[in-house]
Amino acid sequence: MIWLYAACFGGALLLLLALFAPWGRGSIDIAWFLVAAVLLLFLAGLKARSVILEQAIRLREESRQEERLLDEIESQRREIDALADGFDVALLVCDARANVLYANRTAVEMFGFDEPMGRSILAVSLSHDLERITLRALEKREAATAEVTLGYPQERMVRAKAWPDPIEGRAFLSLYDVTDIRRLERIRQDFVANVSHELRTPLANIRAIAETLLDELKHASKESKQYLEQIIVEVDRLSQLSGDLLVLSAAESGPIRKQGCDLSAVVRGVVNQLRAKAQTKGLKLSFDGPERLPIEANPTQMTQVAINLIDNALNYTNEGEVRAKVSQNGDDAVFEVADTGIGIASEHLPRIFERFYRVDKGRSRATGGTGLGLSIVRNIVEVHGGTVSVQSTLGKGTTFKVTQPIGEIAEEKTSIDESVGS
Ligand code: ADP
């Protein structure tokens, strides 16, 4: 390139000298200057031509490369589209204002919206919950999940997750259709609840008949009486089991009816109710907590939680004490039950909230346990948006801790009698 400029400049200079230099005008020198200038300019022209040709070739090559790159991008995009369209999960990308930038085929079908691109997620899904988790991923830059009900084009339950794009101000959304799973769960819950309910009457009848026979068969053998007593014990166990199954399916079936519930009054009431049992076993049973701690919850279910935990503590403690404590920690109400009982070995701790899981089946049966108490606790606590945890040392004792959001409390005092009776 420098040669081209030099040749142009030299040629132009020689031409000027040839035309205007005073010392050479009209002499032979002018002819030489002119020849040299023309030669230089000719060379410059040649060089310019080759430079232009080179540039044109380079540009053409670049544009070919660009085309190849675009083709590659397009084919990759088609591949990704085909892949994403094959998923049974709806996938969406939203921009910083929660407008849809991309939606796979499942998403288009799920929302019944042919052209969702450029529309807001609220307009496309008609779901405020979905908009809320998308905005949360965009604004707070954190993943959010929710189980969302979509009403159009048909009612569906979906498990939705929104998470932020790490680089740009965008959010990704995935929606998994759980309508069928929830329907099957509902059928299972209804089945269990119906069977449990239907069992109650025949069980009550069998018990009544066995009791009558026991009263009437005064001269029967000792063995026959023992058989009848055994029938009554087993019927009681079955009744307890069907009762627990009913409570569990009610806890699972949510949503729950929350109302003003004084947690202190609920736990204090259960402690009073179980004081006689503690005394029979020679255990100290105490309550510690504020006069009132109103939370937004279902009082019947909270009472069930307190009964199950305190009753368990009494069942699995041979000597010492059981302490029930209620306190407030920020926006949460905390309910703890600590005992000085047999404790639970660490390998059992992860499983004790499972249905029918018992560390010692014999002891559980002897105390009238069904193995459902802690799963009822966990279900109730979780549908209330809370958590339950356990700490235990074998041979020393166990502490169960329930943390429950206080919620927008209604200033209504609920007594244990009301809640048990309701
Ligand atoms: P169960 O009807 O057998 O008491 P739960 O679901 O209430 O069933 O409890 C599950 C198992 O957890 C019990 O069988 C028992 O082994 C253990 N467990 C529960 N609470 C305690 C406790 N306070 N101390 C020791 N073990 C406990």
Side-chain angles (χ1 to χ4, degrees):
M1 209 55 176
I2 189 103
W3 290 110
L4 176 63
Y5 291 134
C8 284
F9 181 73
L13 194 68
L14 285 174
L15 197 63
L16 283 172
L17 283 175
L19 292 176
F20 301 111
W23 39 266
R25 194 174 296 185
S27 72
I28 191 109
D29 293 340
I30 297 170
W32 280 114
F33 272 118
L34 272 173
V35 169
V38 168
L39 209 63
L40 273 174
L41 286 173
F42 178 69
L43 284 174
L46 277 181
K47 184 70 188 164
R49 185 174 167 276
S50 81
V51 166
I52 287 167
L53 272 175
E54 260 173 40
Q55 291 286 352
I57 290 166
R58 199 166 55 80
L59 277 176
R60 197 179 322 151
E61 190 53 37
E62 272 178 11
S63 90
R64 271 199 201 132
Q65 265 181 11
E66 214 168 272
E67 267 170 33
R68 269 201 300 271
L69 222 60
L70 284 174
D71 284 350
E72 224 168 275
I73 291 171
E74 180 58 23
S75 84
Q76 277 182 3
R77 198 186 64 79
R78 270 199 235 116
E79 257 174 50
I80 292 171
D81 276 0
L83 188 71
D85 283 347
F87 285 141
D88 285 340
V89 177
L91 295 170
L92 295 114
V93 181
C94 289
D95 69 9
R97 293 194 320 200
N99 291 329
V100 175
L101 291 174
Y102 169 80
N104 71 348
R105 189 178 308 165
T106 311
V108 171
E109 284 166 7
M110 189 178 274
F111 297 127
F113 213 107
D114 284 345
E115 253 322 311
M117 267 56 97
R119 316 242 178 193
S120 76
I121 190 72
L122 177 63
V124 172
S125 67
L126 302 176
S127 164
H128 285 285
D129 287 336
L130 213 53
E131 187 194 33
R132 183 174 50 75
I133 63 163
T134 310
L135 289 174
R136 186 158 163 185
L138 285 166
E139 287 161 11
K140 296 201 172 168
R141 314 277 310 144
E142 61 185 26
T145 53
E147 195 148 309
V148 175
T149 306
L150 301 176
Y152 182 84
Q154 68 214 70
E155 195 167 305
R156 300 200 151 271
M157 292 283 291
V158 295
R159 181 110 198 100
K161 179 176 177 188
W163 69 101
D165 184 327
I167 304 162
E168 294 166 68
R170 299 189 310 188
F172 300 118
L173 259 175
S174 72
L175 292 100
Y176 182 63
D177 193 333
V178 290
T179 316
D180 290 340
I181 297 172
R182 293 289 170 267
R183 192 174 51 79
L184 288 174
E185 267 175 15
R186 184 102 218 151
I187 291 171
R188 179 185 59 79
Q189 282 161 11
D190 288 351
F191 175 75
V192 172
N194 289 338
V195 169
S196 310
H197 190 74
E198 291 302 322
L199 280 176
R200 290 175 86 86
T201 315
L203 284 173
N205 287 342
I206 295 172
R207 195 183 199 286
I209 293 165
E211 272 181 338
T212 315
L213 279 175
L214 202 58
D215 283 346
E216 284 180 3
L217 296 179
K218 291 210 173 54
H219 305 294
S221 68
K222 202 176 156 205
E223 232 178 15
S224 304
K225 284 184 182 170
Q226 271 177 354
Y227 286 146
L228 283 171
E229 278 163 4
Q230 193 57 36
I231 288 176
I232 294 174
V233 170
E234 296 299 340
V235 165
D236 284 349
R237 185 166 294 147
L238 274 175
S239 302
Q240 177 70 36
L241 184 63
S242 79
D244 275 1
L245 283 170
L246 268 177
V247 173
L248 186 61
S249 47
E252 281 179 337
S253 61
I256 39 156
R257 283 206 338 264
K258 288 188 189 175
Q259 63 187 81
C261 166
D262 183 353
L263 189 63
S264 276
V266 165
V267 176
R268 202 184 302 113
V270 173
V271 166
N272 289 336
Q273 196 177 307
L274 292 174
R275 191 148 274 139
K277 178 170 177 169
Q279 274 165 3
T280 316
K281 286 193 78 178
L283 300 172
K284 189 177 163 221
L285 175 60
S286 62
F287 170 77
D288 177 22
E291 185 52 29
R292 298 187 71 225
L293 182 49
I295 64 169
E296 210 174 50
N298 182 304
T300 312
Q301 293 189 319
M302 280 298 129
T303 306
Q304 190 71 55
V305 168
I307 289 178
N308 289 10
L309 292 182
I310 300 173
D311 193 46
N312 268 354
L314 293 173
N315 285 339
Y316 298 104
T317 303
N318 299 324
E319 57 183 25
E321 58 173 334
V322 171
R323 280 176 286 126
K325 188 178 165 200
V326 169
S327 59
Q328 184 171 350
N329 181 13
D331 290 340
D332 289 328
V334 181
F335 164 43
E336 284 163 282
V337 179
D339 64 53
T340 55
I342 59 170
I344 304 167
S346 56
E347 69 262 29
H348 295 293
L349 287 176
R351 300 201 58 190
I352 55 167
F353 291 98
E354 288 174 19
R355 282 172 220 180
F356 298 111
Y357 190 83
R358 286 172 281 198
V359 177
D360 178 349
K361 280 203 173 109
R363 181 162 184 147
S364 167
R365 277 183 144 254
T367 57
T370 58
L372 289 173
L374 289 181
S375 41
I376 290 175
V377 168
R378 188 175 63 180
N379 266 285
I380 293 179
V381 170
E382 286 181 355
V383 290
H384 277 79
T387 57
V388 57
S389 58
V390 59
Q391 275 187 334
S392 188
T393 311
L394 201 59
K396 290 208 166 149
T398 307
T399 301
F400 282 91
K401 182 174 174 184
V402 170
T403 304
Q404 206 68 75
I406 290 176
E408 291 166 11
I409 317 140
E411 288 292 301
E412 187 184 315
K413 189 178 184 300
T414 313
S415 78
I416 176 67
D417 303 325
E418 281 168 2
S419 47
V420 169
S422 63

